[in-house]
Amino acid sequence: MTSTNTAKGTRDFAGVELWKRNYLFGEIKAVFLKYGFEPLETPAMENIETLTGKYGEEGDQLLFRVLRSGDFLQGLDDAGLRKEKLRTIRQAIVDKGLRYDLTIPFARFVARYHAELPMPYKRYQIQPVWRADRPAKGRYREFYQCDADVAGSTSLLLDSEFIPMVDEVFGRLSLPPSIFKINNRKILAGIGESLSGHYSLESLTASIDKLDKIGMEGVRSELINRGFSNDDVERIGQFMAIDGNNAEKMHRLAQMLPSGSLGQTGLVELNEVLSYLSNCPLDNTQVQVDFSLARGLNYYTGTIYEVVLKGIDMGSVASGGRYDNLTEGFGVKNLPGVGLSFGAERLYDVMENLGLFPQGVGRHCQLLVINLDEKLNPVYLGLVQSLRKQGVATEIYPAKVKIGKQMKYAEKKGIPYALIAGEPEFEQGKYQLKNLETGHQEAFDLPTLIHQLTA
Amino acid sequence: MTSTNTAKGTRDFAGVELWKRNYLFGEIKAVFLKYGFEPLETPAMENIETLTGKYGEEGDQLLFRVLRSGDFLQGLDDAGLRKEKLRTIRQAIVDKGLRYDLTIPFARFVARYHAELPMPYKRYQIQPVWRADRPAKGRYREFYQCDADVAGSTSLLLDSEFIPMVDEVFGRLSLPPSIFKINNRKILAGIGESLSGHYSLESLTASIDKLDKIGMEGVRSELINRGFSNDDVERIGQFMAIDGNNAEKMHRLAQMLPSGSLGQTGLVELNEVLSYLSNCPLDNTQVQVDFSLARGLNYYTGTIYEVVLKGIDMGSVASGGRYDNLTEGFGVKNLPGVGLSFGAERLYDVMENLGLFPQGVGRHCQLLVINLDEKLNPVYLGLVQSLRKQGVATEIYPAKVKIGKQMKYAEKKGIPYALIAGEPEFEQGKYQLKNLETGHQEAFDLPTLIHQLTA
């Protein structure tokens, strides 16, 4: 007897939970389409070379690897089959891996077809990804990502457009007001350049990225631990202390960075991105320049963003940025891009916690025809088919069991109406329609009944 | 530099092809919902025990296996690591596999949740499955299945309902008329019982299932090869020669089978399934009793069906049947069910070959705003946002390049209109709207323009 468990960290989705997930994905998708993004779907499995080395050492560890088909030991001899040769063996017996994110498959796709695609190429992708992470609350081994990216353009107008797009998505989902934090990687590099010591940009950004969580004191001690001099830590503290509105922050930073430096370029870019929004009122979103925003992934080279919901302790619910060399690893240069990813699993949790999913979401079936007499099955089926042809999603209970049990079935499925008819009703052409929420019951002829249900 | 190829036998989907696929899946899904089926999604990976032994020896060979995470050699010592111990090694290093079909995950799910689910439980599932088959024309290693099943009821009314459901799906897709072939496994068993020798039901059904392809002469010699006696082959020939309309066929068979036999039970069931259709006109479907229909899979125990399109040489485009013991392998008895699966990949090919996809399917973006002057970017973005707020899916070309290039972009994406406006147009509040199909161009104020595009 086989266990009915799903594989660790993976989930079945059904019933109301799946309706809600599909509603969430559907709203995001509708906005993606409205902004001119086209769908892309890539295979769940990629050749292992497509994936390895793309996500750092940790990512390589977390890849799910698929065994070669057939004689998977083919490339090895008994001498090579030793326990200490784990990595060599793995390399020999594995030829595919499961999709780890949606960015690398997108890059592979664009590198492959860039000559034929409409350029700039705007695609969205809503598909599951797999990571061999330790499962925990809110962390799964199979989860969905919702990405929108534009490849093939340096225009910062594209960077701007993600801001009203997020505003519209979150508005449609009735989410609380959001803070759209924005920064530019070149500004971070500029801050790094303005220090007297030479440090890796990664160690700088990794530290200041934690400002929200550990405060400036925490960042200070982390920087000291990473070998930053006291003077430089002091200077970084001055950058992080810049406050005011967006214009004031940018003005202040411009004064602090050497003219003609990379940091100034970053400021010009950031200013351009924000300037495009001047005619573009946002309903629910506050755009906030944040020089401590760093984003972990190192492929970003320009604009970076991260969106949080006010008063919701959930971390970022959308994030993204601009990159210069999306497809370089696949041998195609000069294809810059910019993209944003919604944290779909987190958004689901927020909406669930706040009760934001619409009542009756996904309720499709409208009517259950109660089975009073199995001899009437052909008549029931005829009736059900007429209703379906008129667009009424209808079910017939397939056997004559107690009416209460049939009503219970309708209730469990969220079917709002029941039709009750036996031989006399069919003869008269009048059917009892029961509203299962209010309990109200009334007899209608078929056209009126259909009108009731489709109005 | 990494290759941009997809893994062997897998495909990227984008552009028109993906719009068409989504249209096809969407139509099938809409009908599933109308008939009261609810969606189910199961994980791509299952524990390997869930999959092995469920699909026969060949199925086990075709499973994609996922390597254990971390130290996958943990359970083995160097003595166990010998090339000849392929299967033992595989068993030790693999703990998950990729979904091979949608039936076993459905069975696992129902076995797990049957106490909570509305019963009978009607679910549809449209998800990819993976098989390590040799790729060939029309055969892929990743492909979609579209299944609808009902678990937990013996009512044959459910078996009947799949017939108008297929009729409706194929009607919506404008497919050619179809032949809905129907039989009952008990009839096949009854034919087996009526023979003088004792043979396995599998060898009988495997042979007669080929009647369509190899003719009765071919079936005869195959039966002889499988050890059937001449007399019995003769008798099978008589069963297969039964013709006439459905009623005549069933009448004739009833005379040939011993009364009270399993075959007679099958006939009664078949008759019942058909009798429920008496008030249920089919638009595009001919229901045909076919005693040679066997279906390969051995878990069917009652009704079996297979649908072909008249004049289309593609094999079956939908198939299914009734089974008694869906969940027995998962320790839950007495959960019979009935289901049907659409051959989505085949249906796609038929529709593509016959040009049945609607013109402009998936065309979502309606308008491209031409970029005449990047200084106007904030004004363009403001305009685009007003249009989007009014429900017009709109794109702005992100950079000022030659107008011809921007028009080409719209054409490639199937965007039907372009809006052309520079400073004077914004000042006057009149915008040139160009129909990219007809070439017609006219100036409108914004409300009229929106009305034009949303009417």
Side-chain angles (χ1 to χ4, degrees):
Chain A
M1 189 185 112
T2 314
S3 152
T4 60
N5 288 339
T6 55
K8 194 166 74 165
T10 70
R11 297 163 287 172
D12 291 320
F13 294 109
V16 178
E17 188 182 12
L18 183 52
W19 292 124
K20 288 176 176 172
R21 284 175 71 88
N22 287 343
Y23 168 80
L24 172 61
F25 296 151
E27 293 297 303
I28 295 174
K29 181 180 145 179
V31 177
F32 284 161
L33 287 170
K34 207 175 180 186
Y35 281 67
F37 292 92
E38 294 191 341
L40 171 68
E41 288 178 19
T42 63
M45 288 188 294
E46 294 278 356
N47 291 320
I48 193 72
E49 311 83 60
T50 304
L51 303 172
T52 44
K54 304 295 198 302
Y55 305 107
E57 180 63 25
E58 199 202 342
D60 275 0
Q61 301 267 351
L62 298 184
L63 286 175
F64 279 112
R65 291 171 159 81
V66 178
L67 202 64
R68 278 181 198 281
S69 311
D71 178 8
F72 57 91
L73 296 177
Q74 212 170 11
L76 292 165
D77 53 22
D78 281 333
L81 273 171
R82 315 294 306 171
K83 286 199 70 166
E84 71 272 17
K85 300 195 174 170
L86 194 75
R87 276 173 181 253
T88 332
I89 295 177
R90 194 173 69 185
Q91 198 156 10
I93 67 177
V94 158
D95 61 352
K96 287 177 290 295
L98 296 189
R99 189 167 54 216
Y100 183 85
D101 74 354
L102 303 178
T103 303
I104 290 299
F106 170 61
R108 178 188 54 67
F109 177 82
V110 172
R112 192 176 185 191
Y113 293 108
H114 64 99
E116 298 143 54
L117 289 169
M119 276 292 165
Y121 176 60
K122 299 175 81 167
R123 84 86 173 79
Y124 76 82
Q125 195 167 356
I126 302 179
Q127 286 193 289
V129 301
W130 296 271
R131 296 185 184 179
D133 228 327
R134 191 186 301 272
K137 190 176 175 312
R139 189 165 63 215
Y140 303 101
R141 293 183 147 196
E142 174 181 72
F143 59 96
Y144 270 74
Q145 291 193 331
C146 295
D147 287 19
D149 288 81
V150 192
S153 171
T154 55
S155 167
L156 298 181
L157 185 55
L158 296 168
D159 304 44
S160 294
E161 264 193 302
F162 283 103
I163 299 171
M165 193 181 85
V166 169
D167 185 58
E168 182 161 353
V169 168
F170 287 3
R172 284 171 83 121
L173 297 175
S174 308
L175 285 165
S178 69
I179 301 174
F180 195 109
K181 298 185 188 178
I182 187 165
N183 194 12
N184 190 299
R185 266 289 169 110
K186 297 187 181 82
I187 290 174
L188 294 170
I191 291 174
E193 280 178 3
S194 77
L195 305 176
S196 39
H198 289 283
Y199 316 100
S200 82
L201 185 56
E202 281 69 35
S203 60
L204 173 65
T205 55
S207 303
I208 64 175
D209 206 23
K210 296 182 188 156
L211 186 60
D212 268 3
K213 283 181 200 136
I214 60 177
M216 196 54 217
E217 271 322 298
V219 173
R220 259 184 247 274
S221 50
E222 186 166 323
L223 286 167
I224 297 287
N225 285 341
R226 285 174 184 264
F228 285 70
S229 73
N230 282 324
D231 277 4
D232 284 335
V233 172
E234 186 56 35
R235 186 151 176 79
I236 293 167
Q238 287 163 8
F239 285 115
M240 295 301 115
I242 293 174
D243 63 1
N245 63 29
N246 292 340
E248 288 162 357
K249 283 180 186 168
M250 288 192 286
H251 180 70
R252 184 81 193 86
L253 185 70
Q255 293 174 320
M256 291 170 70
L257 291 174
S259 68
S261 68
L262 189 60
Q264 296 286 359
T265 310
L267 265 175
V268 169
E269 288 183 7
L270 180 56
N271 192 55
E272 185 179 335
V273 171
L274 297 180
S275 74
Y276 292 150
L277 298 172
S278 54
N279 291 341
C280 184
L282 302 173
D283 289 330
N284 208 29
T285 304
Q286 178 193 341
V287 181
Q288 192 177 85
V289 167
D290 182 344
F291 300 129
S292 76
L293 177 66
R295 302 287 310 137
L297 286 165
N298 288 310
Y299 55 76
Y300 293 123
T301 50
T303 307
I304 42 182
Y305 12 67
E306 201 169 279
V307 191
V308 297
L309 298 170
K310 282 188 191 169
I312 307 287
D313 184 23
M314 183 62 92
S316 73
V317 288
S319 61
R322 172 167 283 280
Y323 35 82
D324 278 340
N325 289 305
L326 176 68
T327 53
E328 207 170 20
F330 296 98
V332 178
K333 289 191 177 167
N334 300 321
L335 273 176
V338 57
L340 180 129
S341 180
F342 286 98
E345 308 278 348
R346 283 186 180 181
L347 286 173
Y348 181 93
D349 288 344
V350 173
M351 293 191 60
E352 185 65 15
N353 293 341
L354 299 181
L356 297 180
F357 287 107
Q359 274 293 323
V361 60
R363 180 182 279 182
H364 274 262
C365 195
Q366 288 173 275
L367 182 67
L368 178 69
V369 173
I370 300 293
N371 198 325
L372 296 179
D373 182 351
E374 292 187 14
K375 283 200 299 296
L376 291 175
N377 277 355
V379 183
Y380 285 136
L381 191 58
L383 175 70
V384 165
Q385 283 307 115
S386 324
L387 287 160
R388 287 172 177 159
K389 289 232 159 129
Q390 299 294 317
V392 183
T394 309
E395 264 193 77
I396 170 169
Y397 198 87
K400 183 193 168 296
V401 298
K402 282 191 186 135
I403 294 189
K405 196 175 166 190
Q406 299 188 43
M407 295 290 186
K408 199 96 198 158
Y409 173 83
E411 197 188 295
K412 262 196 171 176
K413 286 188 79 166
I415 301 174
Y417 291 95
L419 183 149
I420 305 162
E423 223 156 334
E425 284 77 12
F426 280 104
E427 269 161 28
Q428 292 160 35
K430 285 261 194 181
Y431 310 92
Q432 295 288 331
L433 184 69
K434 180 165 185 167
N435 181 322
L436 295 176
E437 269 165 51
T438 64
H440 178 75
Q441 186 170 324
E442 199 177 337
F444 295 105
D445 59 22
L446 193 58
T448 317
L449 191 142
I450 290 171
H451 183 75
Q452 286 276 330
L453 293 170
T454 52
Chain B
M1 186 186 116
T2 314
S3 152
T4 61
N5 289 339
T6 55
K8 194 167 73 165
T10 69
R11 298 163 287 173
D12 292 319
F13 294 109
V16 179
E17 187 183 12
L18 183 53
W19 293 123
K20 288 177 177 172
R21 283 175 70 89
N22 287 342
Y23 168 80
L24 172 61
F25 296 151
E27 293 297 302
I28 294 175
K29 181 179 145 179
V31 177
F32 284 161
L33 288 169
K34 208 176 180 186
Y35 280 68
F37 291 92
E38 293 192 341
L40 170 68
E41 288 179 18
T42 63
M45 287 188 295
E46 294 278 356
N47 291 320
I48 192 73
E49 312 82 60
T50 303
L51 303 171
T52 43
K54 302 296 197 304
Y55 305 106
E57 180 64 24
E58 199 203 340
D60 276 2
Q61 301 269 349
L62 299 184
L63 287 175
F64 279 112
R65 291 171 159 82
V66 178
L67 203 64
R68 277 180 198 282
S69 312
D71 179 7
F72 57 90
L73 295 178
Q74 212 170 9
L76 290 166
D77 53 22
D78 280 334
L81 274 172
R82 315 293 303 171
K83 286 199 71 167
E84 71 274 17
K85 301 196 174 169
L86 193 75
R87 277 175 179 248
T88 332
I89 295 177
R90 193 173 69 186
Q91 198 158 9
I93 66 178
V94 159
D95 61 351
K96 288 178 289 297
L98 297 188
R99 190 167 54 215
Y100 183 84
D101 74 354
L102 304 178
T103 303
I104 291 298
F106 170 60
R108 178 188 55 66
F109 177 81
V110 173
R112 191 175 185 190
Y113 294 108
H114 64 100
E116 299 144 53
L117 289 170
M119 275 292 164
Y121 177 59
K122 300 174 80 169
R123 85 87 173 77
Y124 76 81
Q125 197 168 355
I126 302 179
Q127 286 192 290
V129 300
W130 297 271
R131 296 185 184 177
D133 228 328
R134 190 187 300 274
K137 190 176 175 313
R139 189 164 64 216
Y140 304 101
R141 293 183 147 195
E142 174 180 73
F143 59 96
Y144 270 75
Q145 291 194 331
C146 295
D147 287 19
D149 287 83
V150 192
S153 171
T154 55
S155 168
L156 298 181
L157 186 54
L158 296 167
D159 304 44
S160 295
E161 265 193 301
F162 283 103
I163 299 171
M165 193 181 85
V166 169
D167 185 58
E168 183 162 351
V169 168
F170 287 2
R172 283 171 84 122
L173 298 174
S174 307
L175 285 165
S178 70
I179 301 174
F180 196 109
K181 296 183 189 179
I182 187 164
N183 195 12
N184 189 299
R185 266 290 169 111
K186 298 187 181 79
I187 290 174
L188 295 170
I191 291 175
E193 280 178 2
S194 78
L195 304 176
S196 37
H198 290 283
Y199 316 99
S200 82
L201 185 56
E202 281 69 36
S203 60
L204 173 65
T205 56
S207 302
I208 65 175
D209 205 24
K210 296 180 188 159
L211 186 60
D212 267 4
K213 282 183 199 135
I214 60 175
M216 194 57 216
E217 270 322 299
V219 172
R220 257 184 248 273
S221 50
E222 186 165 322
L223 286 167
I224 296 287
N225 285 341
R226 285 174 185 263
F228 284 69
S229 74
N230 281 324
D231 278 4
D232 285 335
V233 172
E234 186 55 33
R235 187 152 175 79
I236 294 165
Q238 287 165 8
F239 284 114
M240 295 301 114
I242 293 173
D243 64 0
N245 62 31
N246 292 341
E248 288 163 355
K249 282 181 187 169
M250 289 192 285
H251 180 71
R252 183 80 193 89
L253 185 70
Q255 293 174 320
M256 290 170 69
L257 290 173
S259 68
S261 68
L262 188 61
Q264 296 286 0
T265 310
L267 266 174
V268 169
E269 288 183 9
L270 180 56
N271 191 55
E272 185 180 334
V273 171
L274 297 180
S275 74
Y276 292 150
L277 298 172
S278 54
N279 291 341
C280 185
L282 303 172
D283 290 330
N284 208 30
T285 305
Q286 179 193 339
V287 181
Q288 192 177 84
V289 168
D290 183 344
F291 300 128
S292 76
L293 177 66
R295 302 288 308 138
L297 285 166
N298 287 309
Y299 56 77
Y300 293 123
T301 50
T303 307
I304 41 181
Y305 13 66
E306 201 168 279
V307 193
V308 296
L309 298 169
K310 283 188 192 171
I312 307 288
D313 184 23
M314 183 62 92
S316 72
V317 288
S319 62
R322 173 167 280 281
Y323 35 81
D324 278 340
N325 290 306
L326 177 67
T327 53
E328 208 170 21
F330 296 98
V332 178
K333 288 191 178 167
N334 299 321
L335 272 176
V338 56
L340 180 130
S341 179
F342 285 98
E345 307 279 346
R346 283 187 181 181
L347 287 172
Y348 181 92
D349 288 345
V350 172
M351 293 190 60
E352 185 65 14
N353 293 340
L354 299 181
L356 296 180
F357 287 107
Q359 274 292 324
V361 59
R363 179 183 278 181
H364 274 264
C365 194
Q366 288 172 273
L367 181 67
L368 178 70
V369 173
I370 300 294
N371 198 325
L372 296 179
D373 182 352
E374 293 187 13
K375 282 201 299 295
L376 292 175
N377 278 353
V379 183
Y380 284 136
L381 191 58
L383 174 70
V384 165
Q385 283 307 115
S386 325
L387 287 160
R388 287 171 177 158
K389 290 233 158 126
Q390 300 294 318
V392 183
T394 309
E395 265 193 74
I396 170 169
Y397 199 88
K400 183 194 168 297
V401 298
K402 285 195 184 129
I403 293 190
K405 198 176 166 188
Q406 299 189 42
M407 295 291 186
K408 198 95 199 157
Y409 173 82
E411 198 188 293
K412 263 195 171 176
K413 286 189 80 166
I415 301 173
Y417 291 96
L419 183 149
I420 305 162
E423 222 156 336
E425 283 78 10
F426 280 104
E427 270 162 26
Q428 293 161 33
K430 285 262 194 181
Y431 311 93
Q432 295 288 331
L433 184 68
K434 181 167 184 166
N435 181 322
L436 296 176
E437 268 164 53
T438 64
H440 179 76
Q441 187 170 323
E442 199 176 337
F444 296 106
D445 59 22
L446 194 58
T448 317
L449 190 140
I450 289 170
H451 183 76
Q452 286 276 329
L453 292 170
T454 53

